[in-house]
């Protein structure tokens, strides 16, 4: 099931649970987090002390009737508080950075691991571009949330608390009432307007992901775009999405400007009122000039961070939405899971058996309908049939990318659903028809079959796949980058890399999905000899399209409409004059 981004943002979101999950990432560095909090409190205490010292300095000069003398102690205290504020603020940032970045690293690892555990169905249905953008936002959101807590919300709360104590202790309650009344009005106004305009942000994110997905798909399918001369079509699709995004973005900016003006008006009115009261108190001799300066300094210190509160609140809301995406993804249960008591697969012979296997990618469309066959240990069984017969599905089920709907698949008598996925896939090697390589060196892509293999073993596998001489002829030899998905190599070169990779893995069971379809005749014959040599001691399942490549298989299965309709050796099937004979004659005519 495809999960749409906007549905994740609007429905079934548990922000308190997500915040508790974020707090869980602090456990690894609990001591650092507590120390950072203490640094924050000291920094804010020093910050609040600055207006108090400033008041005393002003009053000192105002009340002095003798020759003016520098109040050295007060000036030194003023400088010390300034320095302490800066020191503990930076110390807080430095100490907490380890906590924040470790949380990002931990979450990124968890997400990638979880994505690898999710089923092939999820990855086929979900857009790669949208996933990458959502994950980028989601991972960043945890760091952003921690920043809000440690660098925004908690500091503002601490500072407001300290100011409230000073105002209530030393002055008329009206000053605290006006100050925090203004703050309450400001916060309520900000929340109300921000909640009203947050849909604009949701739509911007949705269109942003959609545009990114379109661009990503068009670049992945670069060759297809060029084949059909559809660059302008891709640009029009992309621009249409960006046009919608532009309209929503403009509305978002206009509404934000209105919000900012309203916030500024509230702050201006609050500061004006409190200064009128303070000035009146000075006139009535109930407050000194220093008190007036101190109240003004307090207002500046409070309303400067308050001026950013609107932006912080909006970002906080967006961060909650982004964070919800990644936590919902982490909460998604993998379709294919190991049983609680799953043991490692023990391969003694390597016999593979499909017993009355029924399977469909969708409930209303069955692909395999009672498939029943075995591949004896050390033997080769080939599967042929027209497109859509279910041939490639056999390999996916053997690797347990999907679970069968009915029946079972067994290796040496062990049901693949009852053993660990890791041990199962370790025992099987595959050469797929559509070879996808990593954007790295040729050496890396071959060694990927066995990361512990030595250079000599990698070279030997390349020789067996008849690609060694080609690699040595390249300017950068083994360090040649193959490009994204192996784009810099031809189809035949990619296929030989895949063959070398499978050889290097040395699995007990091998699957060839038309492993030589992209090769020229001479190379194909050479590799076929290599594959026959490997298959002589390995249980081999071959999915074939060209019948000439599987004539020496121990058994050939002919599939049609999800069933095995014929089985036997090449000569036996020819004598039956059935579907296999018709396919053979058709290919002979085509070759002629």
């Amino acid at each position: 099931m495809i999960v749409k981004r906007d549905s994740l943002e609007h429905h079934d979101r548990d922000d308190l649970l997500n915040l508790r999950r974020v707090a869980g990432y602090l456990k690894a560095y609990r001591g650092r987090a507590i120390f950072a909090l203490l640094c924050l409190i000291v920094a804010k205490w020093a910050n609040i002390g600055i207006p108090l010292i400033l008041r005393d300095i002003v009053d000192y000069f105002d009340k002095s009737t003798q020759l003016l003398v520098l109040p050295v102690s007060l000036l030194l205290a003023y400088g010390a508080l300034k320095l302490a504020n800066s020191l503990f603020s930076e110390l807080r940032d430095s100490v907490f950075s380890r906590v924040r970045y470790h949380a990002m690293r931990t979450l990124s690892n968890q997400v990638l691991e979880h994505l690898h555990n999710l089923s092939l169905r999820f990855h086929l249905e979900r857009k790669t571009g949208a996933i990458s953008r959502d994950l980028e936002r989601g991972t960043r959101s945890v760091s952003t949330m921690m920043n809000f807590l440690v660098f925004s919300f908690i500091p503002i709360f601490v500072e407001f608390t300290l100011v409230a104590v000073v105002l209530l202790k030393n002055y008329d309650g009206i000053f605290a009432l006006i100050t925090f009344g203004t703050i309450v009005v400001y916060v309520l106004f900000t929340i109300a307007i921000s909640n009203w305009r947050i849909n604009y942000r949701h739509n911007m994110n949705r269109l942003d992901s959609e545009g990114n997905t379109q661009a990503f798909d068009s670049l992945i399918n670069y060759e297809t775009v060029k084949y059909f001369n559809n660059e302008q079509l891709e640009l029009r699709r992309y621009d249409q999405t960006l046009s919608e995004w532009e309209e929503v973005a403009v509305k978002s900016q206009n509404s934000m400007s209105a919000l900012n003006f309203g916030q500024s008006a509230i702050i201006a009115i609050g500061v004006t009122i409190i200064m009128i009261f303070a000035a009146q108190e000075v006139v009535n001799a109930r407050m000194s000039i220093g008190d007036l300066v101190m109240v003004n300094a307090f207002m500046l210190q409070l309303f400067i961070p308050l001026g950013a509160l609107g932006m912080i609140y909006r970002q906080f809301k967006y961060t909650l939405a982004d964070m919800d995406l990644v936590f919902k993804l982490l909460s998604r249960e993998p379709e294919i899971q190991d049983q609680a008591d799953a043991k490692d697969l023990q391969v003694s012979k390597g016999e593979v058996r499909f017993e009355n296997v029924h399977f469909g990618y969708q409930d209303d469309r069955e692909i395999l309908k009672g498939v029943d066959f075995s591949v004896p240990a050390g033997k080769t069984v080939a599967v042929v049939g027209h497109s859509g017969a279910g041939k490639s599905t056999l390999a996916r089920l053997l690797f347990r990318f999907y679970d069968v709907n009915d029946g079972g698949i067994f290796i040496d008598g062990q049901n693949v659903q009852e053993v660990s996925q890791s041990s199962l896939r370790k025992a099987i090697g595959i050469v797929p028809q559509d070879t996808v390589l990593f954007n790295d060196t040729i050496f890396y892509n071959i060694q990927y079959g066995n990361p512990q293999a030595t250079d000599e073993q990698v070279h030997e596998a390349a020789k067996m796949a008849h690609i060694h001489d080609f690699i040595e002829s390249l300017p950068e030899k083994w360090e040649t980058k193959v490009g994204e998905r192996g784009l810099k190599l031809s189809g035949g070169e990619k296929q030989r890399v895949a063959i070398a990779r499978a050889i290097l893995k040395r699995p007990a069971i091998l699957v060839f999905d038309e492993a030589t379809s992209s090769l020229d005749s001479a190379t194909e014959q050479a590799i076929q000899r290599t594959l026959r040599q490997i298959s002589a001691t390995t249980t081999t399942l071959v999915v074939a399209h060209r019948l000439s490549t599987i004539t020496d298989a121990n058994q050939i299965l002919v599939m049609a409409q999800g069933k095995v309709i014929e089985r036997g050796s090449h000569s036996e099937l020819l004598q039956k004059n059935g579907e296999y004979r018709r396919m053979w004659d058709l290919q002979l005519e085509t070759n002629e």
Side-chain angles (χ1 to χ4, degrees):
M1 181 182 70
I2 300 176
V3 183
K4 295 184 179 178
R5 178 183 174 83
D6 54 354
S7 68
L8 291 181
E9 290 177 334
H10 289 294
H11 303 296
D12 304 324
R13 204 176 80 198
D14 191 337
D15 291 338
L16 288 178
L17 175 61
N18 290 340
L19 288 173
R20 284 199 297 271
R21 287 176 172 176
V22 171
Y25 289 103
L26 298 174
K27 291 181 180 179
Y29 289 100
R30 186 179 302 155
R32 278 179 173 266
I34 293 173
F35 183 68
L37 186 61
L38 292 175
C39 289
L40 184 154
I41 293 172
V42 173
K44 288 303 173 186
W45 173 83
N47 202 38
I48 293 301
I50 291 172
L52 295 173
I53 295 295
L54 187 62
R55 176 196 63 183
D56 293 341
I57 292 173
V58 171
D59 285 344
Y60 175 84
F61 287 117
D62 182 52
K63 295 175 181 177
S64 180
T65 56
Q66 54 188 351
L67 183 65
L68 291 179
V69 179
L70 282 177
V72 177
S73 59
L74 290 176
L75 293 172
L76 289 176
Y78 180 85
L81 288 174
K82 277 279 191 182
L83 185 62
N85 178 46
S86 177
L87 172 64
F88 284 97
S89 294
E90 296 301 325
L91 191 58
R92 172 202 64 183
D93 295 358
S94 179
V95 168
F96 195 73
S97 64
R98 174 69 68 180
V99 182
R100 184 160 54 99
Y101 291 123
H102 181 77
M104 289 182 68
R105 171 189 165 196
T106 302
L107 180 62
S108 297
N109 279 317
Q110 287 178 346
V111 170
L112 185 60
E113 180 183 16
H114 189 69
L115 281 172
H116 280 299
N117 288 333
L118 290 177
S119 68
L120 179 62
R121 191 192 309 273
F122 170 84
H123 290 280
L124 292 177
E125 292 178 347
R126 192 85 161 112
K127 299 276 190 174
T128 305
I131 287 180
S132 65
R133 186 62 64 90
D134 288 348
L135 292 185
E136 179 188 350
R137 289 200 193 103
T139 304
R140 192 174 58 232
S141 69
V142 171
S143 172
T144 305
M145 185 59 67
M146 288 185 173
N147 276 354
F148 285 153
L149 293 175
V150 176
F151 302 140
S152 298
F153 294 143
I154 295 177
I156 290 174
F157 174 77
V158 170
E159 192 158 12
F160 283 4
T161 302
L162 293 174
V163 169
V165 169
V166 172
L167 290 178
L168 290 172
K169 182 179 178 181
N170 297 297
Y171 304 102
D172 195 293
I174 190 66
F175 290 100
L177 181 64
I178 295 172
T179 300
F180 295 103
T182 303
I183 292 171
V184 169
V185 172
Y186 179 95
V187 170
L188 293 177
F189 174 79
T190 299
I191 291 175
I193 301 301
S194 295
N195 285 338
W196 165 70
R197 62 180 297 274
I198 200 167
N199 281 334
Y200 290 132
R201 178 62 181 232
H202 288 159
N203 288 329
M204 282 178 65
N205 282 352
R206 177 180 59 81
L207 292 167
D208 184 36
S209 290
E210 187 177 324
N212 185 64
T213 299
Q214 290 171 345
F216 204 83
D217 283 347
S218 70
L219 293 175
I220 286 179
N221 296 293
Y222 172 84
E223 290 184 64
T224 305
V225 174
K226 291 295 183 182
Y227 287 149
F228 294 95
N229 200 32
N230 275 339
E231 294 91 340
Q232 292 304 313
L233 172 63
E234 294 297 328
L235 288 173
R236 282 197 301 272
R237 289 177 63 229
Y238 186 54
D239 185 60
Q240 183 177 350
T241 302
L242 289 186
S243 176
E244 295 179 36
W245 173 85
E246 179 185 351
E247 291 302 314
V248 176
V250 169
K251 291 178 181 177
S252 176
Q253 180 59 50
N254 290 342
S255 61
M256 186 172 70
S257 297
L259 175 60
N260 288 341
F261 176 76
Q263 292 168 337
S264 298
I266 293 170
I267 291 174
I269 292 171
V271 170
T272 301
I273 293 174
I274 204 165
M275 290 307 294
I276 290 173
F277 273 91
Q280 186 62 49
E281 291 293 287
V282 172
V283 170
N284 295 334
R286 287 194 292 267
M287 284 176 59
S288 67
I289 299 295
D291 291 323
L292 177 66
V293 171
M294 187 202 72
V295 169
N296 183 63
F298 271 153
M299 294 305 99
L300 290 176
Q301 283 188 190
L302 283 180
F303 286 120
I304 286 175
L306 194 63
L309 188 62
M311 181 196 70
I312 292 171
Y313 174 75
R314 291 193 299 273
Q315 289 297 327
F316 180 72
K317 293 286 287 185
Y318 307 151
T319 299
L320 285 175
D322 291 338
M323 194 167 61
D324 188 61
L325 285 172
V326 75
F327 283 133
K328 270 194 168 61
L329 178 62
L330 286 172
S331 300
R332 188 183 182 114
E333 289 290 330
E335 179 183 343
I336 308 300
Q337 298 188 51
D338 288 343
Q339 295 182 2
D341 57 348
K343 299 178 180 178
D344 286 348
L345 176 68
Q346 302 298 324
V347 181
S348 54
K349 298 178 181 178
E351 181 192 28
V352 177
R353 194 167 76 254
F354 280 67
E355 288 189 0
N356 193 32
V357 171
H358 289 261
F359 174 74
Y361 294 104
Q362 286 88 33
D363 294 337
D364 57 350
R365 183 172 173 239
E366 197 171 41
I367 303 297
L368 300 181
K369 305 169 184 176
V371 172
D372 204 333
F373 69 90
S374 65
V375 187
K379 301 298 182 180
T380 297
V381 169
V383 183
V384 300
H386 298 294
S387 296
K391 304 184 300 297
S392 295
T393 300
L394 297 176
R396 288 178 168 179
L397 292 175
L398 181 60
F399 272 91
R400 207 186 164 205
F401 290 153
Y402 301 91
D403 278 338
V404 300
N405 297 341
D406 197 11
I409 301 173
F410 300 85
I411 296 177
D412 286 340
Q414 301 159 85
N415 193 322
V416 298
Q417 291 183 223
E418 297 175 357
V419 299
S420 66
Q421 297 174 66
S422 175
S423 64
L424 170 67
R425 291 165 191 159
K426 185 178 181 180
I428 309 172
I430 187 169
V431 181
Q433 182 181 10
D434 182 20
T435 301
V436 177
L437 303 181
F438 292 95
N439 188 9
D440 209 303
T441 64
I442 290 182
F443 184 89
Y444 175 85
N445 276 283
I446 295 178
Q447 194 187 40
Y448 200 80
N450 179 9
Q452 285 74 44
T454 64
D455 290 4
E456 291 75 14
Q457 290 172 325
V458 172
H459 287 206
E460 183 60 31
K463 288 176 181 176
M464 294 180 71
H466 296 271
I467 196 173
H468 182 274
D469 293 343
F470 165 74
I471 297 172
E472 288 292 337
S473 70
L474 296 171
E476 297 182 47
K477 300 185 185 303
W478 297 88
E479 295 305 308
T480 301
K481 297 274 187 168
V482 302
E484 184 130 3
R485 300 173 65 88
L487 191 64
K488 294 181 180 180
L489 300 182
S490 69
E493 290 157 359
K494 287 196 294 184
Q495 217 160 33
R496 280 182 282 168
V497 169
I499 292 169
R501 187 165 59 189
I503 292 172
L504 191 65
K505 187 177 182 181
R506 299 190 182 281
I509 300 164
L510 264 174
V511 178
F512 295 124
D513 188 354
E514 197 55 53
T516 60
S517 61
S518 298
L519 303 179
D520 60 81
S521 298
T523 305
E524 180 185 19
Q525 290 177 11
I527 289 183
Q528 284 292 351
R529 287 194 295 272
T530 300
L531 296 183
R532 279 195 290 271
Q533 180 184 344
I534 297 169
S535 302
T537 56
T538 306
T539 304
T540 307
L541 177 65
V542 180
V543 176
H545 301 280
R546 288 191 291 182
L547 305 186
S548 59
T549 62
I550 46 93
T551 55
D552 56 351
N554 298 106
Q555 187 179 50
I556 299 172
L557 309 176
V558 182
M559 291 190 66
Q561 298 180 348
K563 297 180 179 179
V564 178
I565 59 172
E566 294 178 8
R567 67 183 73 205
S569 66
H570 173 69
S571 57
E572 289 171 348
L573 290 173
L574 288 179
Q575 291 174 6
K576 286 183 179 180
N577 285 321
E579 181 62 27
Y580 183 82
R581 181 59 186 254
R582 282 191 291 273
M583 293 170 63
W584 178 260
D585 291 341
L586 181 62
Q587 289 199 11
L588 284 180
E589 290 176 15
T590 303
N591 292 338
E592 291 174 359

